[in-house]
Amino acid sequence: MVAPKTRGCPKPPVVAPKKRSTHGGATPTSIINYQLSITHYQPMPKHKKRLTPLAEIRQSQLLNTYGPGSMVDLPEHSVIIGGLSFWKGEKQYIREDRLKNKVQEILELQEPVNLYSPPRDNPDSYAPDANVGVFIFPTWFVAQVEKTVRFHGKDYRTRPLVTWREVKSGLKFDGKSVNAVPIRFVQGCANGHISDINWYAFAHNDLYTKCKHQLWLDEGGSGNDFEEIFVRCEVCKGARRPLSQAKLPKSRVLGPCQGDRPWLGYQGKQNDCYSCVIDKTGNIVKTKEREYNRLLVRSASNAYFAQTLSVISIPDLNEHLKKTIDCHYEDLQYLEEINDLRGFLLIQKKNPKYADLITLDVDAIWAEIQRRNNKQSSESKTIKQVELEALLNCEETTGKEHDDFYATNRKLDHFPSELLPYIERVVLVHRLREVIAQIGFTRFEASLPDIEGEIDKNLTINVQRAALDLETKWIPAIENKGEGVFIGFHKQVIEEWQEKEVVKARGRKLVSGLKQWCLSKNISEDQVKFPGLPYIMLHSLSHLLITTVSLECGYAASAIRERIYANPDTGYGILLYTGSPGSEGTLGGLVEVGNNIEYHLKIALETGKLCSNDPVCSQHQPDNLQEERFLHGAACHGCLLIAETSCEWRNEFLDRALIVPTLENLGCEFFLNFGE
């Protein structure tokens, strides 16, 4: 790890990836304990041997759970994972032009950005260690001192608050050496910044206090009730304040955010942190109002939400065209009109150098030349639209098998007559490759891709994407190999179904729930787009299928993932797939399920008619203020909710009443009179 060049700047502790595990899982990354603080670095000793890691993190976890800006608990302290500039070592290049172009578009980058896997260790003993830098965070600790204090007739367990400087120099209390643990509470803002709470200011209820006497943390009961947690100054009378005051909605007791980004090192701090809004043109603009800190529990699930994009690698049908033009682009780039191209090809008709070019379509050649001259992306379609077109155009045999994608269209000769009116095709995906890239992260609320698999540059929630580095030079990504089964639905049947008045009435109920959700989150309704009834229906059916299929295919339910396609222009379908970094993702279980998918569909539809929580589940109203399940129709843990690793939308926008009749018998089901 190269130290920052500025004198006195911190050098992070390191995360070193280890060689691939023997059980075929993802390559782990090891956290190594170096003594370092955010503001001061103690020179690292020179080691002849490789350092022994204290913990390991898989490469996939560095994208989804422990990416830049996330916090990790170590045996003796807590750290925050450093930005991409602090990721050193061997990184494998991942080729996926479609995903790379989308990342460049979303991040509004002027130069192309490459995708690389997180660093991995090289088994060569002479190769330099691969590592990921981390910083000590938080820098406030709670000393493990057993004392009690009495207030208002109640005993509280009390422990002193100490800083990292005191801990690393050898903490002593009452003449005895004591241990310390990182404090559970930090502060962050909607823009992704994070920092230590100014405990002196909080205890004294004064942002400008100069008191630096010993602070104590008083906890009553189990220590989980914020009303029973107090911060107290041992000298100042009356300087004792409950932590619950910092938890109040729109509370400003923690003061304005100072723009701290400790994961980016000494240069990471932003001088200004202002609230953002979306203007009338749909662009995010900063206001003149300061953004205030919010209380954040360090280990809470809302402390870090990785923002990722994923694509299924699809063979490029124009690959031969692009490679041919690569060879002759220097001769073609200065042509001004398509007639100039025709003339050029006519002149070179007998020239063997251009034999491969002359066989291509003139319009296709000209379109590719224009794209390159204008420096445009080769793909203007959405992520899912390209995948859906490829799946809908699969034949019974694809002929040449592609390394990353191989799928066949199954015959439906013996398909049940009661399902044929709805199902257009079943595609067996024998081989697929999924590439996942992290483009940023948010705090407090997650920002998910839309139904087309893309993230709008203007987020639909009241948080903003935080950067992975000061300058985006590369993006971390991983690739998974797997298999799947795709079910395509008749486009006309879905369109006729959603035009029924009873279906529209159900849609109005679901939209009403979405409006209540926006009110509860203090989000403008204009910022959130309703996904549409076809998407909710297919999403709900997908969850029923995942639960049913997992009992037969040999994969755990949490290992099967979904991809919902609901494009009015292209078509509708469900892809159930599984994938892993090794070869385990292509064991053939889901393909075998696809050969008998009608059996699983029948079971899933029968299961969806009744829930163990009925009639409460089927009678749920999306806009019910007491239940606060605004994005659900007839859906609960007893029927539709599955592992969030499998769901592409965090178990939201579900309603089995759109699939089959429930106890309410609303008449809005897609599979009309199924099983009768």
Side-chain angles (χ1 to χ4, degrees):
M1 178 63 64
V2 179
K5 295 182 179 180
T6 303
R7 183 176 299 176
C9 294
K11 180 180 179 181
V14 174
V15 175
K18 221 176 181 182
K19 62 183 179 181
R20 184 176 297 274
S21 55
T22 56
H23 53 74
T27 303
T29 297
S30 305
I31 295 182
I32 296 177
N33 181 25
Y34 287 173
Q35 296 298 320
L36 148 126
S37 71
I38 295 176
T39 57
H40 179 70
Y41 168 64
Q42 294 178 348
M44 184 173 54
K46 295 181 179 180
H47 293 272
K48 295 182 180 180
K49 297 182 179 180
R50 298 197 175 196
L51 297 171
T52 302
L54 294 177
E56 290 185 345
I57 297 178
R58 295 183 180 275
Q59 286 184 312
S60 59
Q61 288 179 307
L62 278 172
L63 260 72
N64 297 306
T65 309
Y66 301 120
S70 65
M71 289 169 283
V72 182
D73 279 325
L74 295 181
E76 296 182 358
H77 46 257
S78 173
V79 297
I80 189 167
I81 301 293
L84 299 181
S85 296
F86 302 105
W87 294 27
K88 306 296 181 181
E90 179 186 348
K91 300 187 290 289
Q92 180 183 358
Y93 175 72
I94 296 179
R95 181 177 179 82
E96 180 49 63
D97 292 339
R98 198 155 57 90
L99 180 58
K100 183 173 70 172
N101 292 335
K102 289 299 179 183
V103 170
Q104 182 179 350
E105 177 184 338
I106 292 173
L107 297 182
E108 299 180 333
L109 302 175
Q110 300 300 322
E111 299 294 332
V113 61
N114 290 324
L115 308 178
Y116 289 96
S117 67
R120 61 169 51 177
D121 197 17
N122 192 322
D124 185 357
S125 59
Y126 295 98
D129 286 335
N131 54 73
V132 171
V134 297
F135 296 90
I136 297 295
F137 185 83
T139 58
W140 279 90
F141 289 70
V142 181
Q144 300 303 288
V145 175
E146 294 297 331
K147 288 193 175 186
T148 59
V149 63
R150 192 172 185 82
F151 283 96
H152 306 295
K154 183 175 181 178
D155 290 332
Y156 290 84
R157 179 192 180 190
T158 184
R159 293 176 294 172
L161 292 178
V162 295
T163 64
W164 168 241
R165 186 181 299 274
E166 297 173 87
V167 173
K168 71 177 180 179
S169 61
L171 182 62
K172 291 187 177 182
F173 206 83
D174 292 337
K176 297 180 180 178
S177 297
V178 296
N179 295 324
V181 296
I183 194 165
R184 288 185 292 159
F185 314 106
V186 295
Q187 62 186 11
C189 81
N191 293 328
H193 301 133
I194 194 168
S195 61
D196 283 291
I197 295 175
N198 186 340
W199 293 109
Y200 294 112
F202 180 80
H204 294 84
N205 195 14
D206 181 6
L207 294 176
Y208 304 101
T209 182
K210 295 182 180 179
C211 177
K212 300 297 180 183
H213 291 104
Q214 180 63 55
L215 298 177
W216 293 78
L217 187 70
D218 302 338
E219 297 173 285
S222 62
N224 294 323
D225 184 0
F226 282 56
E227 296 286 347
E228 295 295 330
I229 300 177
F230 296 82
V231 180
R232 171 175 55 89
C233 176
E234 70 175 1
V235 174
C236 300
K237 185 177 181 181
R240 185 174 184 264
R241 198 176 186 191
L243 199 60
S244 58
Q245 291 187 10
K247 193 182 177 183
L248 296 174
K250 298 182 180 180
S251 171
R252 295 189 172 188
V253 300
L254 297 179
C257 177
Q258 302 300 318
D260 291 297
R261 297 186 296 179
W263 68 93
L264 298 182
Y266 68 97
Q267 292 182 327
K269 185 179 177 64
Q270 290 181 317
N271 294 328
D272 300 319
C273 181
Y274 294 98
S275 299
C276 295
V277 296
I278 297 181
D279 61 13
K280 295 181 180 179
T281 61
N283 295 318
I284 292 180
V285 295
K286 287 185 178 181
T287 67
K288 295 182 180 180
E289 183 179 352
R290 294 293 299 271
E291 185 68 46
Y292 277 77
N293 287 309
R294 309 181 195 177
L295 181 66
L296 193 61
V297 178
R298 178 170 50 82
S299 57
S301 59
N302 68 341
Y304 188 84
F305 294 98
Q307 193 176 67
T308 59
L309 284 179
S310 70
V311 301
I312 303 296
S313 295
I314 301 296
D316 190 348
L317 300 178
N318 297 320
E319 184 176 0
H320 176 64
L321 169 69
K322 293 177 180 179
K323 288 184 176 180
T324 302
I325 294 181
D326 284 341
C327 300
H328 307 292
Y329 183 63
E330 290 185 2
D331 300 329
L332 302 174
Q333 59 181 322
Y334 300 109
L335 300 177
E336 297 181 355
E337 297 180 356
I338 191 172
N339 290 332
D340 296 338
L341 174 62
R342 291 192 177 100
F344 176 84
L345 295 177
L346 183 63
I347 294 174
Q348 305 295 341
K349 187 174 183 179
K350 295 184 179 181
N351 189 340
K353 176 182 177 181
Y354 299 98
D356 53 351
L357 185 66
I358 293 172
T359 60
L360 300 176
D361 180 72
V362 176
D363 292 332
I365 296 174
W366 181 248
E368 179 64 15
I369 294 173
Q370 289 292 95
R371 183 191 69 80
R372 297 191 183 199
N373 287 344
N374 297 328
K375 297 182 179 180
Q376 295 176 343
S377 168
S378 60
E379 191 58 70
S380 58
K381 299 177 182 178
T382 63
I383 288 176
K384 284 189 177 180
Q385 186 178 359
V386 177
E387 299 169 5
L388 181 58
E389 288 177 352
L391 291 167
L392 291 176
N393 292 323
C394 283
E395 300 176 355
E396 291 184 11
T397 58
T398 60
K400 181 181 178 181
E401 296 188 19
H402 196 274
D403 292 339
D404 295 331
F405 183 83
Y406 175 57
T408 57
N409 192 22
R410 179 197 148 185
K411 292 183 179 180
L412 301 182
D413 297 343
H414 303 291
F415 220 71
S417 58
E418 55 189 342
L419 290 177
L420 274 177
Y422 309 101
I423 308 300
E424 179 183 14
R425 65 177 59 233
V426 174
V427 177
L428 308 178
V429 186
H430 304 271
R431 185 184 305 124
L432 63 80
R433 170 178 175 259
E434 180 190 27
V435 181
I436 307 172
Q438 183 183 5
I439 62 174
F441 65 90
T442 60
R443 304 196 194 277
F444 300 104
E445 294 283 351
S447 175
L448 299 177
D450 58 20
I451 64 173
E452 288 299 324
E454 300 186 8
I455 298 177
D456 191 358
K457 65 180 181 179
N458 299 325
L459 305 186
T460 56
I461 49 179
N462 291 338
V463 294
Q464 303 302 318
R465 180 191 307 118
L468 302 179
D469 206 351
L470 292 172
E471 295 182 8
T472 305
K473 298 180 180 178
W474 63 281
I475 291 294
I478 57 172
E479 53 182 349
N480 294 325
K481 300 293 182 68
E483 57 166 342
V485 54
F486 171 78
I487 306 171
F489 295 80
H490 287 291
K491 185 170 177 285
Q492 183 179 355
V493 176
I494 288 184
E495 291 173 349
E496 292 174 353
W497 165 75
Q498 66 177 336
E499 290 300 320
K500 295 180 180 180
E501 186 56 39
V502 65
V503 177
K504 290 182 178 179
R506 185 60 175 175
R508 288 191 289 270
K509 282 286 187 181
L510 295 171
V511 170
S512 176
L514 179 60
K515 291 181 179 179
Q516 289 296 334
W517 180 83
C518 290
L519 288 175
S520 67
K521 299 290 185 180
N522 193 28
I523 300 173
S524 171
E525 295 178 15
D526 298 334
Q527 294 179 244
V528 183
K529 183 179 179 181
F530 185 66
L533 293 176
Y535 180 90
I536 298 177
M537 184 273 292
L538 294 173
H539 189 204
S540 304
L541 177 59
S542 173
H543 282 214
L544 289 174
L545 271 173
I546 287 175
T547 303
T548 303
V549 165
S550 65
L551 300 176
E552 298 286 339
C553 72
Y555 290 110
S558 59
I560 304 175
R561 301 174 61 187
E562 66 180 0
R563 214 162 174 86
I564 312 300
Y565 302 94
N567 190 310
D569 298 324
T570 308
Y572 301 89
I574 297 172
L575 173 65
L576 302 185
Y577 69 100
T578 185
S580 66
S583 60
E584 313 81 37
T586 55
L587 296 177
L590 282 183
V591 172
E592 187 61 31
V593 164
N595 286 318
N596 197 26
I597 194 64
E598 58 272 30
Y599 166 75
H600 301 286
L601 266 171
K602 284 185 176 182
I603 295 179
L605 295 175
E606 288 292 343
T607 303
K609 292 181 179 180
L610 188 66
C611 172
S612 59
N613 289 325
D614 276 340
V616 175
C617 177
S618 59
Q619 292 176 350
H620 168 67
Q621 298 298 319
D623 56 358
N624 189 311
L625 296 176
Q626 281 70 41
E627 294 188 55
E628 293 187 353
R629 293 193 293 120
F630 302 123
L631 302 182
H632 288 163
C636 69
H637 285 282
C639 53
L640 289 187
L641 272 63
I642 59 176
E644 289 197 2
T645 54
S646 300
C647 179
E648 70 174 16
W649 213 331
R650 287 192 307 153
N651 278 325
E652 307 287 15
F653 294 112
L654 297 168
D655 185 10
R656 57 189 172 92
L658 296 177
I659 311 173
V660 290
T662 63
L663 289 182
E664 285 292 277
N665 198 21
L666 300 174
C668 58
E669 62 273 8
F670 175 70
F671 292 90
L672 190 64
N673 301 321
F674 175 81
E676 294 183 0

